Amino acid sequence: MSRVKLTDTVFRDAHQSLLATRMRTRDMLPIAEKMDQVGFFSLETWGGATFDTCIRYLNEDPWERLRALKKAMPNTPMQMLLRGQNLVGYRHYADDVVDKFVEKAATNGVDIFRIFDAVNDIRNMERSIKAAKKMEKHIQGGISYTISPVHSNELFAQFAVKLAELGCDSICIKDMAGLLKPFDAYELVKAIKSKVDIPVQVHSHSTTGMSVATLTKAAEAGADTLDTVISSMSMGTSHSPTETIVEILKGTEFDTGLDIKALLEIAAYFREVRKKYAKFESKFLGADTRILVSQVPGGMLSNLLIQMKSLNAVDKFQAVLDEVPKVREDLGFPPLVTPMSQIVGAQAVFNIVTGERYKVIPTEIRNYVRGLYGKPAAPISDEIRKLIIGDEEVITVRPADLLENSYEQMKEEIGGLAKSEQDVLSYALFPPVAKAFFEKRAGK
């Protein structure tokens, strides 16, 4: 057994989970050199919601952030989270946009692409995996972990086999809601390792209070790499503390070999940085065991609470949490990860606030039932399908097959406001938001 390696998520998922993704590049760069010296397997710095938030709220160019972090941390592989055909957005994009985005992400600094799909439909991952392979980058196939009557360790292990066959260099068990229990993690890692001969990484949020034990058991089962975060940005809806895992494994056959003193210096830095973002702080900082039933990830919890406040219906928050698993069952048990968490959550809110289930149905729910997000893990009943889309036909092809190439059209639309191919991609992903960002940049 070799040392267990660690990926620190402080530059991406930690502040996405705790601080509404609001950490600015200028608060990352002063500590970057120290982070680069620790000896992490990788640093997660990009992807997920960071791209959108940079241009929507922070007036920052996400591509510039990527380049700046890569320059500051040349020795540690840079990792991003890519939502398959959704890239860093909330819908499927055309294949040519996927190809160009992956190419530019690779040339601007991404070394490891963690690619997943919200409903574990491998068809939605194939194009981005192929594109990353063309760029000769490390491809980590993500499995969106969830619990339901139709999900099992065997199912996840078979999915890992398919990912390996597509050319993935490693597998990530992505436990976004903190549902992966310690002994289940042990069995799941064993199941996957028995089927594939590539490294396995475990990503587990602390929301339910189980993650430290989960990572420990995963290491014992043979997990090669664990996702952690520096202690001052850990726990709650975030991840297990890096220092804690280092100390747990110290002196064992799984010893990470990382220097606790260097980590404590980094923790002190982020303890001060975190204070700057206090107004964005997640309200769910302890262990929220309601999630063991509702399966609602931490970020989704915060968003649901905001929605209920805007509707002056905070008193019905628990009712919404109770409704989420019912909607999820109606929809074939999709994992609650972006964008499915938002889609299922919105329907649950409408069901409770209106007092009538499916009286109001968002377009995204209709599109999901039509098959435009991929194939559900379990069939949707005829009753629910008719209630949502009537007699419309459900598509069975890969959803992106219905999309025409659009990169050149986007390039023409944005015109001179785009100063690079990266700008065109930003516009292709988030047209109104990117255009406003470019206009402000140009002083218009």
Side-chain angles (χ1 to χ4, degrees):
M1 172 64 66
S2 59
R3 290 184 187 275
V4 167
K5 298 182 275 293
L6 299 184
T7 291
D8 197 287
T9 67
V10 71
F11 293 130
R12 204 284 296 178
D13 204 3
H15 73 100
Q16 179 171 321
S17 299
L18 290 178
L19 309 173
T21 331
R22 291 305 204 278
M23 191 182 292
R24 294 180 177 276
T25 307
R26 64 172 179 250
D27 286 322
M28 301 176 183
L29 291 176
I31 198 67
E33 185 179 353
K34 271 196 170 62
M35 292 289 290
D36 193 36
Q37 294 169 352
V38 170
F40 290 113
F41 167 72
S42 66
L43 289 164
E44 192 191 44
T45 55
W46 215 56
T50 60
F51 194 101
D52 180 14
T53 306
C54 271
I55 53 177
R56 190 183 299 270
Y57 300 116
L58 303 181
N59 194 35
E60 287 190 18
D61 186 335
W63 299 98
E64 286 184 8
R65 172 182 292 185
L66 176 59
R67 290 190 293 269
L69 287 172
K70 184 63 178 176
K71 184 179 179 181
M73 300 183 291
N75 303 306
T76 310
M78 200 80 72
Q79 183 166 316
M80 81 163 291
L81 182 69
L82 189 81
R83 299 167 180 157
Q85 202 75 26
N86 288 12
L87 297 175
V88 290
Y90 311 104
R91 62 177 178 84
H92 288 325
Y93 297 98
D95 285 341
D96 65 333
V97 173
V98 171
D99 293 346
K100 183 65 77 171
F101 182 89
V102 172
E103 175 196 331
K104 289 301 170 186
T107 56
N108 279 268
V110 174
D111 301 296
I112 301 172
F113 288 84
R114 177 178 289 172
I115 300 171
F116 78 100
D117 177 62
V119 296
N120 286 326
D121 188 332
I122 203 162
R123 299 174 303 170
N124 295 334
M125 302 167 68
E126 289 171 348
R127 190 75 184 202
S128 48
I129 289 173
K130 183 180 178 181
K133 200 166 187 64
K134 183 179 178 182
M135 297 305 296
E136 300 182 340
K137 296 298 181 178
H138 182 112
I139 306 159
Q140 188 170 88
I143 300 171
S144 297
Y145 181 79
T146 189
I147 299 170
S148 83
V150 297
H151 290 89
S152 66
N153 286 352
E154 180 60 28
L155 184 74
F156 291 131
Q158 289 300 332
F159 190 57
V161 170
K162 293 177 183 176
L163 291 170
E165 288 172 350
L166 281 180
C168 289
D169 301 293
S170 61
I171 299 293
C172 176
I173 301 167
K174 181 174 164 55
D175 174 31
M176 53 279 173
L179 295 172
L180 184 57
K181 299 172 186 177
F183 292 95
D184 291 342
Y186 183 91
E187 295 300 333
L188 179 54
V189 170
K190 285 284 190 187
I192 293 174
K193 297 282 278 188
S194 72
K195 290 280 197 295
V196 299
D197 192 24
I198 55 177
V200 174
Q201 185 155 348
V202 180
H203 170 99
S204 182
H205 285 254
S206 304
T207 326
T208 59
M210 297 191 293
S211 65
V212 170
T214 293
L215 294 188
T216 304
K217 289 299 288 184
E220 188 182 349
D224 301 270
T225 312
L226 308 173
D227 279 13
T228 60
V229 68
I230 204 72
S231 60
S232 48
M233 289 288 289
S234 69
M235 305 307 285
T237 51
S238 183
H239 302 270
S240 300
T242 298
E243 302 96 299
T244 301
I245 297 299
V246 167
E247 287 299 303
I248 287 173
L249 300 180
K250 190 174 182 178
T252 72
E253 59 186 309
F254 314 111
D255 196 325
T256 65
L258 301 187
D259 178 10
I260 193 72
K261 291 181 181 178
L263 293 171
L264 291 176
E265 285 182 40
I266 294 166
Y269 174 82
F270 281 108
R271 197 169 293 117
E272 293 305 309
V273 165
R274 185 169 176 172
K275 294 174 184 177
K276 297 182 181 182
Y277 301 95
K279 66 179 180 180
F280 299 110
E281 190 91 36
S282 169
K283 299 297 183 286
F284 302 96
L285 296 179
D288 196 325
T289 50
R290 291 175 296 181
I291 296 160
L292 294 169
V293 175
S294 70
Q295 297 203 23
V296 175
M300 182 180 173
L301 267 177
S302 302
N303 289 336
L304 283 176
L305 186 58
I306 291 168
Q307 286 180 54
M308 298 308 285
K309 283 180 178 178
S310 69
L311 295 167
N312 293 316
V314 175
D315 59 313
K316 296 179 179 177
F317 184 60
Q318 185 58 50
V320 170
L321 288 184
D322 294 339
E323 178 67 8
V324 166
K326 296 173 186 176
V327 172
R328 181 171 173 258
E329 181 175 358
D330 289 344
L331 299 180
F333 298 105
L336 293 180
V337 64
T338 302
M340 289 312 305
S341 52
Q342 291 88 337
I343 292 170
V344 171
Q347 186 64 67
V349 168
F350 284 127
N351 287 358
I352 296 302
V353 171
T354 63
E356 182 180 338
R357 302 189 83 231
Y358 300 105
K359 179 180 180 180
V360 175
I361 302 172
T363 300
E364 291 82 2
I365 287 282
R366 295 187 194 278
N367 287 340
Y368 170 79
V369 175
R370 289 184 183 111
L372 293 176
Y373 285 85
K375 185 180 179 182
I380 297 172
S381 71
D382 289 342
E383 179 189 359
I384 293 294
R385 180 178 53 78
K386 287 180 179 178
L387 186 63
I388 293 175
I389 63 171
D391 293 324
E392 283 189 52
E393 198 170 324
V394 175
I395 72 157
T396 56
V397 298
R398 182 183 74 116
D401 287 343
L402 304 175
L403 300 175
E404 293 184 4
N405 284 345
S406 60
Y407 179 81
E408 292 302 325
Q409 179 191 336
M410 295 295 105
K411 184 176 180 180
E412 187 176 333
E413 275 186 20
I414 194 61
L417 279 175
K419 303 301 181 187
S420 65
E421 289 182 302
Q422 290 91 282
D423 282 353
V424 176
L425 287 164
S426 297
Y427 177 73
L429 294 173
F430 302 105
V433 178
K435 186 179 181 182
F437 173 76
F438 298 150
E439 287 174 342
K440 187 173 182 180
R441 182 179 66 184
K444 294 186 178 181

mmCIF file with all atom_site columns, all heavy atoms in Angstrom, residues 5-25:
data_model
loop_
_atom_site.group_PDB
_atom_site.id
_atom_site.type_symbol
_atom_site.label_atom_id
_atom_site.label_alt_id
_atom_site.label_comp_id
_atom_site.label_asym_id
_atom_site.label_entity_id
_atom_site.label_seq_id
_atom_site.pdbx_PDB_ins_code
_atom_site.Cartn_x
_atom_site.Cartn_y
_atom_site.Cartn_z
_atom_site.occupancy
_atom_site.B_iso_or_equiv
_atom_site.pdbx_formal_charge
_atom_site.auth_seq_id
_atom_site.auth_comp_id
_atom_site.auth_asym_id
_atom_site.auth_atom_id
_atom_site.pdbx_PDB_model_num
ATOM 1   N N   . LYS A 1 5  ? -2.732  10.033 -1.034 1.00 0.00 ? 5  LYS A N   1
ATOM 2   C CA  . LYS A 1 5  ? -2.505  11.398 -1.519 1.00 0.00 ? 5  LYS A CA  1
ATOM 3   C C   . LYS A 1 5  ? -3.738  12.260 -1.216 1.00 0.00 ? 5  LYS A C   1
ATOM 4   O O   . LYS A 1 5  ? -4.845  11.734 -1.081 1.00 0.00 ? 5  LYS A O   1
ATOM 5   C CB  . LYS A 1 5  ? -2.201  11.377 -3.018 1.00 0.00 ? 5  LYS A CB  1
ATOM 6   C CG  . LYS A 1 5  ? -0.925  10.604 -3.359 1.00 0.00 ? 5  LYS A CG  1
ATOM 7   C CD  . LYS A 1 5  ? -0.608  10.633 -4.845 1.00 0.00 ? 5  LYS A CD  1
ATOM 8   C CE  . LYS A 1 5  ? -1.325  9.564  -5.630 1.00 0.00 ? 5  LYS A CE  1
ATOM 9   N NZ  . LYS A 1 5  ? -0.882  8.200  -5.307 1.00 0.00 ? 5  LYS A NZ  1
ATOM 10  N N   . LEU A 1 6  ? -3.528  13.566 -1.130 1.00 0.00 ? 6  LEU A N   1
ATOM 11  C CA  . LEU A 1 6  ? -4.635  14.478 -0.823 1.00 0.00 ? 6  LEU A CA  1
ATOM 12  C C   . LEU A 1 6  ? -4.786  15.545 -1.906 1.00 0.00 ? 6  LEU A C   1
ATOM 13  O O   . LEU A 1 6  ? -3.798  16.054 -2.438 1.00 0.00 ? 6  LEU A O   1
ATOM 14  C CB  . LEU A 1 6  ? -4.413  15.170 0.518  1.00 0.00 ? 6  LEU A CB  1
ATOM 15  C CG  . LEU A 1 6  ? -4.305  14.281 1.773  1.00 0.00 ? 6  LEU A CG  1
ATOM 16  C CD1 . LEU A 1 6  ? -4.194  15.162 3.014  1.00 0.00 ? 6  LEU A CD1 1
ATOM 17  C CD2 . LEU A 1 6  ? -5.484  13.333 1.891  1.00 0.00 ? 6  LEU A CD2 1
ATOM 18  N N   . THR A 1 7  ? -6.029  15.877 -2.192 1.00 0.00 ? 7  THR A N   1
ATOM 19  C CA  . THR A 1 7  ? -6.368  17.029 -3.030 1.00 0.00 ? 7  THR A CA  1
ATOM 20  C C   . THR A 1 7  ? -7.027  18.052 -2.125 1.00 0.00 ? 7  THR A C   1
ATOM 21  O O   . THR A 1 7  ? -8.005  17.732 -1.438 1.00 0.00 ? 7  THR A O   1
ATOM 22  C CB  . THR A 1 7  ? -7.344  16.630 -4.157 1.00 0.00 ? 7  THR A CB  1
ATOM 23  O OG1 . THR A 1 7  ? -6.665  15.799 -5.100 1.00 0.00 ? 7  THR A OG1 1
ATOM 24  C CG2 . THR A 1 7  ? -7.895  17.858 -4.883 1.00 0.00 ? 7  THR A CG2 1
ATOM 25  N N   . ASP A 1 8  ? -6.510  19.274 -2.100 1.00 0.00 ? 8  ASP A N   1
ATOM 26  C CA  . ASP A 1 8  ? -7.134  20.318 -1.281 1.00 0.00 ? 8  ASP A CA  1
ATOM 27  C C   . ASP A 1 8  ? -8.082  21.140 -2.146 1.00 0.00 ? 8  ASP A C   1
ATOM 28  O O   . ASP A 1 8  ? -7.744  21.536 -3.262 1.00 0.00 ? 8  ASP A O   1
ATOM 29  C CB  . ASP A 1 8  ? -6.082  21.223 -0.636 1.00 0.00 ? 8  ASP A CB  1
ATOM 30  C CG  . ASP A 1 8  ? -6.671  22.028 0.517  1.00 0.00 ? 8  ASP A CG  1
ATOM 31  O OD1 . ASP A 1 8  ? -7.441  22.969 0.234  1.00 0.00 ? 8  ASP A OD1 1
ATOM 32  O OD2 . ASP A 1 8  ? -6.385  21.714 1.680  1.00 0.00 ? 8  ASP A OD2 1
ATOM 33  N N   . THR A 1 9  ? -9.277  21.410 -1.604 1.00 0.00 ? 9  THR A N   1
ATOM 34  C CA  . THR A 1 9  ? -10.353 22.065 -2.377 1.00 0.00 ? 9  THR A CA  1
ATOM 35  C C   . THR A 1 9  ? -10.576 23.526 -2.002 1.00 0.00 ? 9  THR A C   1
ATOM 36  O O   . THR A 1 9  ? -11.589 24.108 -2.383 1.00 0.00 ? 9  THR A O   1
ATOM 37  C CB  . THR A 1 9  ? -11.677 21.303 -2.168 1.00 0.00 ? 9  THR A CB  1
ATOM 38  O OG1 . THR A 1 9  ? -12.088 21.454 -0.804 1.00 0.00 ? 9  THR A OG1 1
ATOM 39  C CG2 . THR A 1 9  ? -11.537 19.829 -2.497 1.00 0.00 ? 9  THR A CG2 1
ATOM 40  N N   . VAL A 1 10 ? -9.624  24.136 -1.286 1.00 0.00 ? 10 VAL A N   1
ATOM 41  C CA  . VAL A 1 10 ? -9.884  25.471 -0.738 1.00 0.00 ? 10 VAL A CA  1
ATOM 42  C C   . VAL A 1 10 ? -10.135 26.529 -1.810 1.00 0.00 ? 10 VAL A C   1
ATOM 43  O O   . VAL A 1 10 ? -10.907 27.468 -1.600 1.00 0.00 ? 10 VAL A O   1
ATOM 44  C CB  . VAL A 1 10 ? -8.728  25.919 0.195  1.00 0.00 ? 10 VAL A CB  1
ATOM 45  C CG1 . VAL A 1 10 ? -7.451  26.230 -0.584 1.00 0.00 ? 10 VAL A CG1 1
ATOM 46  C CG2 . VAL A 1 10 ? -9.154  27.116 1.047  1.00 0.00 ? 10 VAL A CG2 1
ATOM 47  N N   . PHE A 1 11 ? -9.521  26.384 -2.977 1.00 0.00 ? 11 PHE A N   1
ATOM 48  C CA  . PHE A 1 11 ? -9.680  27.396 -4.022 1.00 0.00 ? 11 PHE A CA  1
ATOM 49  C C   . PHE A 1 11 ? -10.953 27.204 -4.868 1.00 0.00 ? 11 PHE A C   1
ATOM 50  O O   . PHE A 1 11 ? -11.245 28.022 -5.732 1.00 0.00 ? 11 PHE A O   1
ATOM 51  C CB  . PHE A 1 11 ? -8.460  27.397 -4.950 1.00 0.00 ? 11 PHE A CB  1
ATOM 52  C CG  . PHE A 1 11 ? -7.196  27.866 -4.289 1.00 0.00 ? 11 PHE A CG  1
ATOM 53  C CD1 . PHE A 1 11 ? -6.021  27.110 -4.392 1.00 0.00 ? 11 PHE A CD1 1
ATOM 54  C CD2 . PHE A 1 11 ? -7.158  29.041 -3.561 1.00 0.00 ? 11 PHE A CD2 1
ATOM 55  C CE1 . PHE A 1 11 ? -4.847  27.549 -3.782 1.00 0.00 ? 11 PHE A CE1 1
ATOM 56  C CE2 . PHE A 1 11 ? -5.993  29.477 -2.949 1.00 0.00 ? 11 PHE A CE2 1
ATOM 57  C CZ  . PHE A 1 11 ? -4.832  28.728 -3.062 1.00 0.00 ? 11 PHE A CZ  1
ATOM 58  N N   . ARG A 1 12 ? -11.686 26.087 -4.633 1.00 0.00 ? 12 ARG A N   1
ATOM 59  C CA  . ARG A 1 12 ? -12.909 25.880 -5.411 1.00 0.00 ? 12 ARG A CA  1
ATOM 60  C C   . ARG A 1 12 ? -14.074 25.448 -4.521 1.00 0.00 ? 12 ARG A C   1
ATOM 61  O O   . ARG A 1 12 ? -14.879 26.245 -4.095 1.00 0.00 ? 12 ARG A O   1
ATOM 62  C CB  . ARG A 1 12 ? -12.659 24.869 -6.543 1.00 0.00 ? 12 ARG A CB  1
ATOM 63  C CG  . ARG A 1 12 ? -13.624 25.008 -7.737 1.00 0.00 ? 12 ARG A CG  1
ATOM 64  C CD  . ARG A 1 12 ? -15.022 24.469 -7.523 1.00 0.00 ? 12 ARG A CD  1
ATOM 65  N NE  . ARG A 1 12 ? -15.086 23.038 -7.293 1.00 0.00 ? 12 ARG A NE  1
ATOM 66  C CZ  . ARG A 1 12 ? -16.228 22.396 -7.040 1.00 0.00 ? 12 ARG A CZ  1
ATOM 67  N NH1 . ARG A 1 12 ? -17.381 23.044 -6.990 1.00 0.00 ? 12 ARG A NH1 1
ATOM 68  N NH2 . ARG A 1 12 ? -16.213 21.090 -6.783 1.00 0.00 ? 12 ARG A NH2 1
ATOM 69  N N   . ASP A 1 13 ? -14.156 24.169 -4.199 1.00 0.00 ? 13 ASP A N   1
ATOM 70  C CA  . ASP A 1 13 ? -15.382 23.676 -3.581 1.00 0.00 ? 13 ASP A CA  1
ATOM 71  C C   . ASP A 1 13 ? -15.603 24.186 -2.169 1.00 0.00 ? 13 ASP A C   1
ATOM 72  O O   . ASP A 1 13 ? -16.742 24.360 -1.740 1.00 0.00 ? 13 ASP A O   1
ATOM 73  C CB  . ASP A 1 13 ? -15.394 22.140 -3.586 1.00 0.00 ? 13 ASP A CB  1
ATOM 74  C CG  . ASP A 1 13 ? -16.811 21.581 -3.510 1.00 0.00 ? 13 ASP A CG  1
ATOM 75  O OD1 . ASP A 1 13 ? -17.765 22.373 -3.502 1.00 0.00 ? 13 ASP A OD1 1
ATOM 76  O OD2 . ASP A 1 13 ? -16.953 20.349 -3.468 1.00 0.00 ? 13 ASP A OD2 1
ATOM 77  N N   . ALA A 1 14 ? -14.532 24.430 -1.428 1.00 0.00 ? 14 ALA A N   1
ATOM 78  C CA  . ALA A 1 14 ? -14.705 24.873 -0.046 1.00 0.00 ? 14 ALA A CA  1
ATOM 79  C C   . ALA A 1 14 ? -15.421 26.214 0.019  1.00 0.00 ? 14 ALA A C   1
ATOM 80  O O   . ALA A 1 14 ? -16.410 26.378 0.751  1.00 0.00 ? 14 ALA A O   1
ATOM 81  C CB  . ALA A 1 14 ? -13.358 24.963 0.658  1.00 0.00 ? 14 ALA A CB  1
ATOM 82  N N   . HIS A 1 15 ? -14.945 27.186 -0.760 1.00 0.00 ? 15 HIS A N   1
ATOM 83  C CA  . HIS A 1 15 ? -15.620 28.493 -0.693 1.00 0.00 ? 15 HIS A CA  1
ATOM 84  C C   . HIS A 1 15 ? -16.936 28.491 -1.484 1.00 0.00 ? 15 HIS A C   1
ATOM 85  O O   . HIS A 1 15 ? -17.836 29.279 -1.199 1.00 0.00 ? 15 HIS A O   1
ATOM 86  C CB  . HIS A 1 15 ? -14.692 29.647 -1.102 1.00 0.00 ? 15 HIS A CB  1
ATOM 87  C CG  . HIS A 1 15 ? -14.364 29.760 -2.549 1.00 0.00 ? 15 HIS A CG  1
ATOM 88  N ND1 . HIS A 1 15 ? -15.000 30.651 -3.389 1.00 0.00 ? 15 HIS A ND1 1
ATOM 89  C CD2 . HIS A 1 15 ? -13.440 29.134 -3.316 1.00 0.00 ? 15 HIS A CD2 1
ATOM 90  C CE1 . HIS A 1 15 ? -14.476 30.561 -4.602 1.00 0.00 ? 15 HIS A CE1 1
ATOM 91  N NE2 . HIS A 1 15 ? -13.534 29.649 -4.584 1.00 0.00 ? 15 HIS A NE2 1
ATOM 92  N N   . GLN A 1 16 ? -17.067 27.563 -2.440 1.00 0.00 ? 16 GLN A N   1
ATOM 93  C CA  . GLN A 1 16 ? -18.364 27.412 -3.102 1.00 0.00 ? 16 GLN A CA  1
ATOM 94  C C   . GLN A 1 16 ? -19.401 26.919 -2.097 1.00 0.00 ? 16 GLN A C   1
ATOM 95  O O   . GLN A 1 16 ? -20.542 27.383 -2.083 1.00 0.00 ? 16 GLN A O   1
ATOM 96  C CB  . GLN A 1 16 ? -18.262 26.422 -4.271 1.00 0.00 ? 16 GLN A CB  1
ATOM 97  C CG  . GLN A 1 16 ? -19.602 26.202 -4.991 1.00 0.00 ? 16 GLN A CG  1
ATOM 98  C CD  . GLN A 1 16 ? -19.458 25.394 -6.267 1.00 0.00 ? 16 GLN A CD  1
ATOM 99  O OE1 . GLN A 1 16 ? -18.499 25.565 -7.019 1.00 0.00 ? 16 GLN A OE1 1
ATOM 100 N NE2 . GLN A 1 16 ? -20.408 24.509 -6.508 1.00 0.00 ? 16 GLN A NE2 1
ATOM 101 N N   . SER A 1 17 ? -19.000 26.012 -1.228 1.00 0.00 ? 17 SER A N   1
ATOM 102 C CA  . SER A 1 17 ? -19.920 25.429 -0.250 1.00 0.00 ? 17 SER A CA  1
ATOM 103 C C   . SER A 1 17 ? -20.173 26.339 0.946  1.00 0.00 ? 17 SER A C   1
ATOM 104 O O   . SER A 1 17 ? -21.288 26.397 1.464  1.00 0.00 ? 17 SER A O   1
ATOM 105 C CB  . SER A 1 17 ? -19.358 24.091 0.251  1.00 0.00 ? 17 SER A CB  1
ATOM 106 O OG  . SER A 1 17 ? -19.231 23.176 -0.815 1.00 0.00 ? 17 SER A OG  1
ATOM 107 N N   . LEU A 1 18 ? -19.141 27.057 1.389  1.00 0.00 ? 18 LEU A N   1
ATOM 108 C CA  . LEU A 1 18 ? -19.257 27.854 2.617  1.00 0.00 ? 18 LEU A CA  1
ATOM 109 C C   . LEU A 1 18 ? -19.572 29.323 2.385  1.00 0.00 ? 18 LEU A C   1
ATOM 110 O O   . LEU A 1 18 ? -20.270 29.955 3.185  1.00 0.00 ? 18 LEU A O   1
ATOM 111 C CB  . LEU A 1 18 ? -17.949 27.777 3.413  1.00 0.00 ? 18 LEU A CB  1
ATOM 112 C CG  . LEU A 1 18 ? -17.580 26.461 4.075  1.00 0.00 ? 18 LEU A CG  1
ATOM 113 C CD1 . LEU A 1 18 ? -16.228 26.607 4.754  1.00 0.00 ? 18 LEU A CD1 1
ATOM 114 C CD2 . LEU A 1 18 ? -18.637 26.019 5.075  1.00 0.00 ? 18 LEU A CD2 1
ATOM 115 N N   . LEU A 1 19 ? -19.044 29.880 1.283  1.00 0.00 ? 19 LEU A N   1
ATOM 116 C CA  . LEU A 1 19 ? -19.072 31.331 1.097  1.00 0.00 ? 19 LEU A CA  1
ATOM 117 C C   . LEU A 1 19 ? -19.721 31.738 -0.224 1.00 0.00 ? 19 LEU A C   1
ATOM 118 O O   . LEU A 1 19 ? -19.379 32.773 -0.794 1.00 0.00 ? 19 LEU A O   1
ATOM 119 C CB  . LEU A 1 19 ? -17.641 31.899 1.166  1.00 0.00 ? 19 LEU A CB  1
ATOM 120 C CG  . LEU A 1 19 ? -16.803 31.489 2.385  1.00 0.00 ? 19 LEU A CG  1
ATOM 121 C CD1 . LEU A 1 19 ? -15.379 31.985 2.240  1.00 0.00 ? 19 LEU A CD1 1
ATOM 122 C CD2 . LEU A 1 19 ? -17.437 31.999 3.674  1.00 0.00 ? 19 LEU A CD2 1
ATOM 123 N N   . ALA A 1 20 ? -20.650 30.934 -0.712 1.00 0.00 ? 20 ALA A N   1
ATOM 124 C CA  . ALA A 1 20 ? -21.384 31.229 -1.951 1.00 0.00 ? 20 ALA A CA  1
ATOM 125 C C   . ALA A 1 20 ? -20.447 31.501 -3.125 1.00 0.00 ? 20 ALA A C   1
ATOM 126 O O   . ALA A 1 20 ? -20.745 32.304 -4.000 1.00 0.00 ? 20 ALA A O   1
ATOM 127 C CB  . ALA A 1 20 ? -22.337 32.411 -1.745 1.00 0.00 ? 20 ALA A CB  1
ATOM 128 N N   . THR A 1 21 ? -19.281 30.871 -3.125 1.00 0.00 ? 21 THR A N   1
ATOM 129 C CA  . THR A 1 21 ? -18.292 30.945 -4.225 1.00 0.00 ? 21 THR A CA  1
ATOM 130 C C   . THR A 1 21 ? -17.721 32.344 -4.393 1.00 0.00 ? 21 THR A C   1
ATOM 131 O O   . THR A 1 21 ? -17.240 32.691 -5.466 1.00 0.00 ? 21 THR A O   1
ATOM 132 C CB  . THR A 1 21 ? -18.930 30.480 -5.578 1.00 0.00 ? 21 THR A CB  1
ATOM 133 O OG1 . THR A 1 21 ? -19.953 29.543 -5.330 1.00 0.00 ? 21 THR A OG1 1
ATOM 134 C CG2 . THR A 1 21 ? -17.884 29.827 -6.476 1.00 0.00 ? 21 THR A CG2 1
ATOM 135 N N   . ARG A 1 22 ? -17.717 33.131 -3.316 1.00 0.00 ? 22 ARG A N   1
ATOM 136 C CA  . ARG A 1 22 ? -17.362 34.543 -3.471 1.00 0.00 ? 22 ARG A CA  1
ATOM 137 C C   . ARG A 1 22 ? -15.890 34.878 -3.265 1.00 0.00 ? 22 ARG A C   1
ATOM 138 O O   . ARG A 1 22 ? -15.492 36.028 -3.380 1.00 0.00 ? 22 ARG A O   1
ATOM 139 C CB  . ARG A 1 22 ? -18.188 35.406 -2.510 1.00 0.00 ? 22 ARG A CB  1
ATOM 140 C CG  . ARG A 1 22 ? -19.670 35.490 -2.823 1.00 0.00 ? 22 ARG A CG  1
ATOM 141 C CD  . ARG A 1 22 ? -19.957 35.962 -4.242 1.00 0.00 ? 22 ARG A CD  1
ATOM 142 N NE  . ARG A 1 22 ? -21.275 36.556 -4.351 1.00 0.00 ? 22 ARG A NE  1
ATOM 143 C CZ  . ARG A 1 22 ? -22.416 35.879 -4.507 1.00 0.00 ? 22 ARG A CZ  1
ATOM 144 N NH1 . ARG A 1 22 ? -22.378 34.555 -4.560 1.00 0.00 ? 22 ARG A NH1 1
ATOM 145 N NH2 . ARG A 1 22 ? -23.570 36.510 -4.603 1.00 0.00 ? 22 ARG A NH2 1
ATOM 146 N N   . MET A 1 23 ? -15.046 33.899 -2.942 1.00 0.00 ? 23 MET A N   1
ATOM 147 C CA  . MET A 1 23 ? -13.643 34.237 -2.701 1.00 0.00 ? 23 MET A CA  1
ATOM 148 C C   . MET A 1 23 ? -12.990 34.773 -3.975 1.00 0.00 ? 23 MET A C   1
ATOM 149 O O   . MET A 1 23 ? -13.114 34.190 -5.042 1.00 0.00 ? 23 MET A O   1
ATOM 150 C CB  . MET A 1 23 ? -12.845 33.029 -2.199 1.00 0.00 ? 23 MET A CB  1
ATOM 151 C CG  . MET A 1 23 ? -11.460 33.417 -1.680 1.00 0.00 ? 23 MET A CG  1
ATOM 152 S SD  . MET A 1 23 ? -10.465 32.007 -1.126 1.00 0.00 ? 23 MET A SD  1
ATOM 153 C CE  . MET A 1 23 ? -11.370 31.490 0.327  1.00 0.00 ? 23 MET A CE  1
ATOM 154 N N   . ARG A 1 24 ? -12.309 35.895 -3.821 1.00 0.00 ? 24 ARG A N   1
ATOM 155 C CA  . ARG A 1 24 ? -11.683 36.558 -4.964 1.00 0.00 ? 24 ARG A CA  1
ATOM 156 C C   . ARG A 1 24 ? -10.264 36.046 -5.197 1.00 0.00 ? 24 ARG A C   1
ATOM 157 O O   . ARG A 1 24 ? -9.605  35.560 -4.273 1.00 0.00 ? 24 ARG A O   1
ATOM 158 C CB  . ARG A 1 24 ? -11.645 38.077 -4.733 1.00 0.00 ? 24 ARG A CB  1
ATOM 159 C CG  . ARG A 1 24 ? -13.033 38.712 -4.690 1.00 0.00 ? 24 ARG A CG  1
ATOM 160 C CD  . ARG A 1 24 ? -12.949 40.214 -4.457 1.00 0.00 ? 24 ARG A CD  1
ATOM 161 N NE  . ARG A 1 24 ? -14.277 40.815 -4.486 1.00 0.00 ? 24 ARG A NE  1
ATOM 162 C CZ  . ARG A 1 24 ? -14.903 41.188 -5.595 1.00 0.00 ? 24 ARG A CZ  1
ATOM 163 N NH1 . ARG A 1 24 ? -14.306 41.046 -6.772 1.00 0.00 ? 24 ARG A NH1 1
ATOM 164 N NH2 . ARG A 1 24 ? -16.114 41.728 -5.546 1.00 0.00 ? 24 ARG A NH2 1
ATOM 165 N N   . THR A 1 25 ? -9.812  36.191 -6.421 1.00 0.00 ? 25 THR A N   1
ATOM 166 C CA  . THR A 1 25 ? -8.470  35.739 -6.792 1.00 0.00 ? 25 THR A CA  1
ATOM 167 C C   . THR A 1 25 ? -7.412  36.425 -5.932 1.00 0.00 ? 25 THR A C   1
ATOM 168 O O   . THR A 1 25 ? -6.424  35.811 -5.538 1.00 0.00 ? 25 THR A O   1
ATOM 169 C CB  . THR A 1 25 ? -8.209  36.020 -8.282 1.00 0.00 ? 25 THR A CB  1
ATOM 170 O OG1 . THR A 1 25 ? -9.269  35.460 -9.057 1.00 0.00 ? 25 THR A OG1 1
ATOM 171 C CG2 . THR A 1 25 ? -6.884  35.428 -8.727 1.00 0.00 ? 25 THR A CG2 1
#
